[in-house]
Amino acid sequence: MAAPVPTHLSNPFFLEPAATERARGRVETLIADFRTGAWAPTPLESRVAELLLASTTGDGMLTASRIRAALWEGDLAMTYENDGRFAQLLADLVPVLDDPELTSLDIVDAAGELVTAVATTGSTALAA
């Protein structure tokens, strides 16, 4: 017996789940601000991104547990730096990655690009 298809995948008129939509919005906004120079990562955010990137070396995948570990390293201080935008983005990815019905590969790929760019702050990885 085949597994049932989640409603939001089988119905093209069903709205995207709120957690996915929130994560998508944060990723898109922060990437745009990074590209235009309206947002630049702090040294702490860059270090946390480096740790997160290093944790993905084996398989190249962002996972909820890896993001939780990175947020733990960033501690409370990261929620105050740059208005906590990078920390909030990472936190918004956790429920999306935890639930297969919410996961959207384009969000995960874009978040991976952003993490790489933040880890290598001086790079032009996201240059428009």
Side-chain angles (χ1 to χ4, degrees):
M1 177 178 212
V5 176
T7 307
H8 72 279
L9 297 177
S10 61
N11 182 351
F13 301 105
F14 190 80
L15 296 177
E16 188 170 62
T20 307
E21 184 179 341
R22 183 174 42 251
R24 180 185 309 283
R26 286 207 203 276
V27 169
E28 289 172 352
T29 301
L30 204 55
I31 285 175
D33 288 351
F34 183 79
R35 284 180 174 158
T36 62
W39 177 83
T42 65
L44 176 60
E45 290 168 329
S46 292
R47 179 65 184 138
V48 167
E50 287 171 9
L51 294 171
L52 186 53
L53 194 59
S55 74
T56 66
T57 5
D59 57 13
M61 294 180 63
L62 286 176
T63 64
S65 61
R66 290 174 180 165
I67 291 174
R68 283 187 190 98
L71 286 169
W72 180 260
E73 289 298 322
D75 203 28
L76 187 60
M78 200 165 98
T79 63
Y80 291 104
E81 292 194 357
N82 273 342
D83 295 325
R85 292 178 70 193
F86 188 62
Q88 187 62 56
L89 177 143
L90 293 177
D92 284 344
L93 286 173
V94 171
V96 172
L97 292 170
D98 264 345
D99 187 344
E101 287 190 19
L102 298 178
T103 302
S104 180
L105 292 179
D106 63 320
I107 298 171
V108 178
D109 288 343
E113 278 186 50
L114 181 62
V115 168
T116 302
V118 170
T120 56
T121 305
S123 84
T124 55
L126 289 179

